[in-house]
Amino acid sequence: MLKKERGNVVFNKKLWFFLIFSSIIIFLFGVNEYRGYKKEEELRVERLLNKINLKIELFMSSIGDLENTEPIKEYYNSKEISYYNLIKVLQEIQKKNNIYGKSGYTLSLGKENSDIIITGDGTRNKFTYLKSIGAKEKNQESSNLILIPQEKEISFILKNKIFNLEEGIFWIVNLDRELFFSDLFGNEMGKWEILKDNKIYYLDKDIVAKRKGNNGYVLRSSGLNFKFLYTPNNATFYQMLFLKSFVIFVGLALLAMLIDYSIRLYRERKDLIGEINSLAVVDRRKNLRDFVLGIRKIGEIGELTRKVKALQGRKLKIVLVEIFDSDDEGLDFKNFTLAREYLKDSLSTESVYEHIDIDYKSIAFIIPEESDSVIEDAFHFILENIGQKYNVELIAAVSHEFVSLESFPQEYITCKKILDAKFMAKGRKVLFSENIKSGKLILTYPIETEAKLVSKLLNGNLQGAKKIVDEIFVDRINPEAMDKKDIKEFTGLLYNTLNRVVVQLKEFESS
């Protein structure tokens, strides 16, 4: 009897110990899951918001680009708008809408003192158009940002103070609900709305409601004075947490009966965690590439390579090497892979050199500051050898001198700008910024400019042709840097252009 009672006492103690232990484990698991869920939710929401903000920045920059065009500047400043100017403004807006329309937005432009709205589909009567999108004329006039929900679109009227424009200018942005906000639709983890002036604008419905209470997360939009309201759906998480907790309870019960098995399982889990941690080691070289390309800022990445650390505090330059003509159909990119390895090996004797694999056609080197002549001689020799050895033509651009690590992305962009002029390099293998500023490499004009000039002449638009010619001479020629040879080459280029016009004119009737 005593043995049975003693057994019951031991069983009760084990039971109570198991219940307490399992409760602690489940509680800690729940706390950890909740923290992980909150952190993951914040990251997920931030990613979604960044996608939308990127689109907002896209149409804001599109407006900025349009404002810098001559037709729209003239539209802003003209009291009396000409039909010709309206056509030019319409063409500029149509270009942007055609390019970015697939992103889910279109732009329209209007003036308070004009009865015309210029849309991507043509000019419309201002009052008729505003009425069609649901805008009210009298109220909201003082607001610089007006939201207008429609069945399939959400429209924004952006007034002049947002862009510091002249009084009376406004832009209309129409956002396609399904396209523009596609990342926020069908989100089972939570609900998204636009929040402005304590009003909620539904993304999936033509409904505006007054906000009640302080539920949800208020997230700032990019560039505009409205916010997003995100209301999480925690019910799904709690259901999953309860299910997981029940599974853990059953698992702990089994573990209590199978101690040996639980120890082995714990060791396997520990080994697995060690493998996961080993896979999470920072890829320093990828960090360097992402930083130089401007994908991530210096504060957003981990450590850079050891060579970059050794170079800190010294005067540096970036040398960007790329295939001269990557559009050449006969080019074998395998040869560039071999050439890239040859470049690395050739510079490996200099331990302070660091390389960055940019992409399939280019590689960059970070080197201590040397004179331009030393850099040009070294890289010219190596690139010549590569051309003979691997039958691939390479060209290099050298950045300005810099010290701060934060200058990496800017100086990389400098190299890219220099290489934009590589087809005017006339046999040079290594280019510097001074080359493209000297006037020796800019005594030409691109094929796009030539096409415009030919089109104007064939259409009899002499005024437009004269304007293009003036632009060529004003923007492309530095008289102080010209010699007779340059003048002769440029004259031949212009002659060839005019000769193409004459050839085409011969095909027309004499009348």
Side-chain angles (χ1 to χ4, degrees):
M1 186 70 179
L2 291 174
K3 186 177 180 180
K4 185 177 180 181
E5 289 178 355
R6 192 181 298 115
N8 290 336
V9 170
V10 173
F11 175 77
N12 289 335
K13 286 183 178 180
K14 289 182 178 180
L15 179 61
W16 279 107
F17 175 79
F18 170 74
L19 292 175
I20 294 172
F21 177 77
S22 61
S23 297
I24 293 173
I25 294 297
I26 291 174
F27 173 76
L28 294 176
F29 169 79
V31 171
N32 183 65
E33 282 290 295
Y34 182 75
R35 288 177 178 175
Y37 164 74
K38 294 293 288 185
K39 185 176 182 179
E40 183 179 347
E41 182 75 350
E42 289 174 1
L43 293 174
R44 189 184 65 83
V45 169
E46 184 179 355
R47 286 195 297 269
L48 291 174
L49 183 64
N50 286 340
K51 289 183 180 180
I52 298 302
N53 279 338
L54 185 61
K55 292 184 179 180
I56 293 176
E57 291 173 1
L58 185 62
F59 75 68
M60 293 291 283
S61 64
S62 299
I63 293 175
D65 292 342
L66 286 170
E67 290 172 347
N68 289 324
T69 61
E70 290 300 325
I72 290 184
K73 285 182 180 178
E74 183 180 345
Y75 179 80
Y76 282 176
N77 298 323
S78 300
K79 293 183 179 179
E80 295 184 3
I81 305 168
S82 67
Y83 181 72
Y84 177 78
N85 178 240
L86 281 178
I87 292 176
K88 287 296 181 183
V89 172
L90 176 61
Q91 289 175 343
E92 294 294 337
I93 292 177
Q94 285 177 335
K95 288 179 186 176
K96 287 294 180 184
N97 288 348
N98 289 337
I99 294 173
Y100 298 112
K102 294 182 180 179
S103 298
Y105 74 86
T106 56
L107 302 174
S108 303
L109 176 62
K111 297 175 72 173
E112 296 291 349
N113 61 358
S114 173
D115 294 338
I116 293 175
I117 296 286
I118 305 175
T119 72
D121 298 325
T123 57
R124 303 280 297 277
N125 179 272
K126 180 173 71 175
F127 303 104
T128 303
Y129 182 75
L130 291 177
K131 185 177 180 181
S132 69
I133 66 173
K136 300 178 181 178
E137 298 179 20
K138 294 184 179 180
N139 61 356
Q140 299 177 324
E141 286 189 355
S142 61
S143 177
N144 297 315
L145 173 66
I146 302 174
L147 277 71
I148 307 170
Q150 304 171 70
E151 182 178 354
K152 295 183 178 180
E153 295 180 334
I154 292 180
S155 297
F156 292 83
I157 299 180
L158 310 178
K159 296 209 172 180
N160 58 301
K161 289 185 179 180
I162 294 180
F163 303 99
N164 295 318
L165 307 176
E166 291 188 8
E167 193 69 30
I169 301 297
F170 62 91
W171 287 88
I172 300 176
V173 185
N174 295 316
L175 306 184
D176 186 289
R177 292 177 184 269
E178 292 187 3
L179 281 177
F180 195 86
F181 298 106
S182 59
D183 296 306
L184 308 183
F185 272 88
N187 191 343
E188 298 180 357
M189 303 299 293
K191 186 177 182 181
W192 289 82
E193 290 109 358
I194 292 176
L195 179 64
K196 185 178 185 296
D197 299 330
N198 213 31
K199 292 181 179 179
I200 295 175
Y201 295 77
Y202 287 60
L203 292 183
D204 55 347
K205 299 177 182 177
D206 182 12
I207 296 177
V208 181
K210 187 174 182 181
R211 186 187 181 195
K212 297 180 180 180
N214 294 318
N215 297 328
Y217 297 93
V218 178
L219 307 165
R220 185 173 298 277
S221 68
S222 175
L224 298 173
N225 60 344
F226 69 84
K227 300 174 182 178
F228 285 100
L229 177 63
Y230 174 71
T231 306
N233 181 12
N234 295 325
T236 303
F237 166 74
Y238 289 126
Q239 291 174 0
M240 292 299 298
L241 182 61
F242 175 79
L243 180 61
K244 290 179 180 180
S245 298
F246 176 77
V247 172
I248 289 175
F249 182 82
V250 174
L252 288 174
L254 294 174
L255 289 174
M257 295 181 290
L258 302 170
I259 300 299
D260 292 336
Y261 179 74
S262 66
I263 293 174
R264 291 195 299 270
L265 194 62
Y266 170 77
R267 289 176 178 174
E268 292 176 0
R269 182 176 179 272
K270 188 176 181 180
D271 293 339
L272 180 60
I273 292 175
E275 292 176 6
I276 293 174
N277 289 335
S278 65
L279 293 174
V281 175
V282 177
D283 185 352
R284 294 179 179 87
R285 188 160 294 282
K286 183 177 184 300
N287 287 342
L288 177 59
R289 175 181 174 274
D290 290 349
F291 172 57
V292 171
L293 293 180
I295 297 174
R296 292 191 292 173
K297 297 180 180 178
I298 189 69
E300 298 174 348
I301 62 176
E303 293 182 301
L304 300 177
T305 62
R306 293 179 181 177
K307 286 187 178 180
V308 171
K309 289 184 178 179
L311 290 169
Q312 290 187 31
R314 303 177 64 176
K315 294 180 180 179
L316 306 173
K317 287 185 178 180
I318 291 178
V319 179
L320 178 61
V321 180
E322 73 174 24
I323 298 173
F324 183 81
D325 186 7
S326 59
D327 294 328
D328 185 0
E329 295 181 357
L331 180 64
D332 187 356
F333 284 94
K334 293 181 181 179
N335 290 346
F336 177 67
T337 302
L338 299 173
R340 182 165 51 190
E341 295 305 316
Y342 179 84
L343 265 170
K344 296 177 185 177
D345 294 338
S346 300
L347 297 171
S348 62
T349 54
E350 296 289 339
S351 59
V352 289
Y353 279 34
E354 179 60 291
H355 72 273
I356 308 166
D357 291 314
I358 301 297
D359 54 26
Y360 71 96
K361 64 177 181 178
S362 57
I363 182 173
F365 294 91
I366 302 171
I367 62 174
E369 194 273 337
E370 296 281 359
S371 66
D372 290 350
S373 60
V374 171
I375 294 174
E376 182 171 15
D377 289 344
F379 276 88
H380 186 276
F381 177 78
I382 295 174
L383 298 184
E384 282 284 355
N385 285 347
I386 287 175
Q388 297 173 7
K389 189 177 181 67
Y390 300 107
N391 193 29
V392 56
E393 185 178 5
L394 302 180
I395 189 167
V398 184
S399 74
H400 303 111
E401 175 186 304
F402 63 95
V403 176
S404 173
L405 290 178
E406 283 76 8
S407 300
F408 280 9
Q410 183 59 43
E411 294 306 324
Y412 171 76
I413 293 173
T414 298
C415 292
K416 292 295 290 183
K417 288 181 179 179
I418 294 173
L419 288 178
D420 286 341
K422 63 186 177 183
F423 291 102
M424 298 180 282
K426 299 181 180 179
R428 295 183 66 114
K429 291 290 185 182
V430 184
L431 301 178
F432 300 83
S433 59
E434 289 75 15
N435 299 137
I436 62 174
K437 293 178 181 177
S438 65
K440 294 297 182 183
L441 297 180
I442 58 175
L443 292 175
T444 183
Y445 46 89
I447 192 169
E448 294 85 357
T449 302
E450 182 187 57
K452 290 180 181 178
L453 179 58
V454 171
S455 176
K456 298 293 183 185
L457 291 173
L458 290 176
N459 289 318
N461 187 350
L462 299 183
Q463 189 65 27
K466 182 180 182 300
K467 184 177 180 181
I468 293 175
V469 172
D470 289 342
E471 289 176 357
I472 292 174
F473 277 84
V474 172
D475 297 338
R476 298 283 174 180
I477 294 182
N478 180 4
E480 297 179 359
M482 292 180 65
D483 55 30
K484 293 181 179 180
K485 182 179 178 182
D486 293 327
I487 295 174
K488 184 176 181 181
E489 291 179 0
F490 187 77
T491 304
L493 182 67
L494 191 59
Y495 171 80
N496 289 335
T497 298
L498 297 177
N499 190 49
R500 292 186 180 92
V501 178
V502 173
V503 169
Q504 294 190 52
L505 284 174
K506 289 180 179 179
E507 298 179 2
F508 297 151
E509 297 180 4
S510 58
S511 58

